[in-house]
Amino acid sequence: MIDAILTDNALEERLTAPSEQDVAFASRLEGDLIILGAGGKMGPSLAQRISRAIQRAGLKHRVIAVVRKDTNGVFLRLSDRVEVVEADLLDPKGFDNLPDAPNVVFMVGRKFGSVADLPLTWATNSWIAGLAAQRFRHSRIVMFSTGNVYPFVSIDGPGANERTPVAPTGEYAQSVLARERIFEYFSTTNRTPILLFRLNYAIDLRYGVLLDICEKVSSGEPIDLTTGFVNIIWQGDANSYCLRSFALCDSPAGILNVTGPKKLSVRDVAERFGHRLGKRPNFVGTEAETALLSDASRCTQLLGPPGTSEEQLIEMTIDWYSAGGTTLGKPTRFERRDGNF
């Protein structure tokens, strides 16, 4: 049983509190860690969790967050734990003043609104990858990717695993595959240990697939069941896996699917929310025979199961929503099947 999270402070504490596994791994971490593209939805909590793990391990390694602009002062408020560097990584000169670090998390990416400016999407998702891979060729790199590089697979199977041939739909996913290929090239050419961290559908309570469904149940907005099954994972668990997956970096680059072990029925989740909210979900469409599903059994085998289950995440989301918790207003558009986000 997990206590309800009802405030932003409580949410941030839960997301950033390192596990004992995190602290144990941090105690073996050699040197500083830099996060490129740390200004997105996951970056701030990831930086804090890693920094707290390092501090609890009794080490003095720096955690450096690289952002284009700390517009809202997020990292200014974290200055006692995380250093911030502002840099435009689309400009090769933006890499000149970045400090060296033996451990690199690459989070640079563009998804939402990607079709509005496709050249920018491709430049962000692939051009920067080459610049970063060359600049940090002597480091270990965990590179954030996405399950969107996989094809839609049967809802009756376990999902796409790391050996499933990629078949990205739409230019966003294609550009992310380009990012992967560039890192793979430099991993082989420079013998840089790299891990392609294929994440899908992290849950933060302020955004995510579960919140999308919950809001639609509450408002009566139609819920499209065509993409009828999804994988999810608590963002705190994804942060933990990110830190500990440095142990899996390799040359040639390795691959790791990161998500929860279960596939959830969108219909079932909506009905659970409806029961709690006293609302009848407004369904449209019927479940297709395929969905974007990932098999994360290798992640579980190597790094252990997530600390928070899918069932717990459902309850945490409805508690948060019912309490009037803040939301980011950024729907995942998980139901899209054309790759346009």
Side-chain angles (χ1 to χ4, degrees):
M1 183 68 177
I2 291 183
D3 293 337
I5 302 173
L6 304 179
T7 67
D8 285 292
N9 286 341
L11 176 57
E12 290 296 338
E13 173 62 26
R14 188 73 61 83
L15 286 171
T16 65
S19 67
E20 293 303 320
Q21 292 171 302
D22 297 340
V23 176
F25 183 83
S27 69
R28 303 189 298 273
L29 192 68
E30 296 182 0
D32 298 338
L33 185 146
I34 190 168
I35 303 173
L36 305 178
K41 295 186 295 293
M42 281 186 70
S45 66
L46 173 65
Q48 290 184 79
R49 188 176 184 118
I50 292 175
S51 178
R52 291 178 68 178
I54 289 171
Q55 290 179 6
R56 280 189 52 190
L59 301 175
K60 302 294 185 181
H61 302 327
R62 301 158 66 200
V63 175
I64 304 136
V66 179
V67 299
R68 184 182 179 91
K69 191 73 174 176
D70 189 17
T71 306
N72 298 318
V74 173
F75 287 97
L76 182 63
R77 297 192 293 272
L78 306 178
S79 58
D80 60 327
R81 290 179 177 168
V82 179
E83 300 178 35
V84 62
V85 176
E86 293 183 345
D88 180 2
L89 299 184
L90 279 169
D91 183 348
K93 294 180 181 178
F95 286 85
D96 291 348
N97 295 323
L98 298 185
D100 292 327
N103 306 291
V104 177
V105 178
F106 184 90
M107 303 186 80
V108 179
R110 172 178 164 83
K111 178 178 182 180
F112 300 111
S114 56
V115 295
D117 190 341
L118 288 171
L120 177 60
T121 296
W122 281 86
T124 302
N125 289 343
S126 57
W127 159 253
I128 295 176
L131 298 175
Q134 187 68 358
R135 168 63 179 81
F136 292 99
R137 60 190 177 276
H138 300 303
S139 304
R140 292 187 298 175
I141 304 174
V142 174
M143 190 223 82
F144 270 67
S145 186
T146 172
N148 287 94
V149 299
Y150 291 122
F152 283 67
V153 296
S154 171
I155 59 175
D156 295 324
N161 62 36
E162 290 85 353
R163 298 180 301 280
T164 299
V166 294
T169 299
E171 292 201 44
Y172 159 69
Q174 292 165 8
S175 68
V176 176
L177 179 59
R179 179 200 302 161
E180 288 195 1
R181 296 300 191 220
I182 288 171
F183 271 104
E184 287 178 306
Y185 169 78
F186 283 103
S187 178
T188 301
T189 301
N190 295 330
R191 296 185 178 180
T192 303
I194 293 176
L195 180 73
L196 310 182
F197 191 87
R198 289 179 177 165
L199 172 69
N200 53 333
Y201 298 135
I203 300 296
D204 168 310
L205 302 188
R206 292 168 296 198
Y207 74 90
V209 170
L210 295 181
L211 179 64
D212 293 347
I213 298 171
C214 188
E215 288 181 323
K216 288 183 177 182
V217 171
S218 178
S219 68
E221 184 178 347
I223 299 170
D224 188 349
L225 292 176
T226 309
T227 301
F229 294 85
V230 294
N231 301 122
I232 60 171
I233 186 171
W234 175 235
Q235 184 172 294
D237 290 327
N239 289 343
S240 173
Y241 283 146
C242 174
L243 170 61
R244 292 184 286 126
S245 66
F246 273 103
L248 307 178
C249 292
D250 202 358
S251 175
I255 301 171
L256 189 70
N257 287 350
V258 180
T259 194
K262 295 182 179 179
K263 61 186 175 196
L264 295 183
S265 161
V266 173
R267 183 189 297 272
D268 290 348
V269 170
E271 289 177 343
R272 287 182 63 173
F273 287 149
H275 178 73
R276 286 281 302 271
L277 294 171
K279 300 286 185 75
R280 183 185 296 275
N282 178 13
F283 296 124
V284 295
T286 57
E287 290 86 345
E289 295 181 353
T290 61
L292 188 68
L293 297 169
S294 294
D295 177 0
S297 56
R298 182 169 180 266
C299 180
T300 299
Q301 177 185 6
L302 294 174
L303 300 177
T308 303
S309 71
E310 289 88 348
E311 289 74 15
Q312 289 170 325
L313 289 174
I314 292 170
E315 293 302 314
M316 289 160 62
T317 298
I318 189 60
D319 288 337
W320 178 264
Y321 185 80
S322 299
T326 58
T327 64
L328 300 183
K330 295 182 177 181
T332 62
R333 300 188 176 93
F334 73 90
E335 66 272 18
R336 297 297 298 260
R337 299 176 71 87
D338 59 4
N340 294 324
F341 302 103

